[in-house]
Amino acid sequence: MSDFGVVTGEDMQKKEAAVRLGSLLGTIGREAGVRDQDIAVLQTRDQTPAEAMSFE
């Protein structure tokens, strides 16, 4: 957002583009058959970084 809380046309375009992108991704996910259970599994998986491979 611009200085002093003023919303410009550019700010609104960015927000509209973000909404369209989210809607597009949601539509793609539904068409691909992604379910809430699939998303839950991805969010709860172990996200610790893998250990670096040794070349010794």
Side-chain angles (χ1 to χ4, degrees):
M1 196 156 63
S2 316
D3 295 337
F4 308 111
V6 176
V7 178
T8 65
E10 183 180 336
D11 294 332
M12 291 304 295
Q13 288 175 344
K14 288 179 183 177
K15 288 180 183 180
E16 289 174 7
V19 170
R20 286 193 302 257
L21 177 60
S23 298
L24 174 65
L25 292 173
T27 301
I28 291 170
R30 282 189 294 280
E31 289 176 1
V34 177
R35 302 168 300 160
D36 290 338
Q37 296 88 353
D38 300 324
I39 295 170
V41 167
L42 291 173
Q43 291 175 340
T44 58
R45 68 181 175 84
D46 179 18
Q47 295 185 359
T48 55
E51 292 185 26
M53 197 162 103
S54 173
F55 292 101
E56 295 176 8

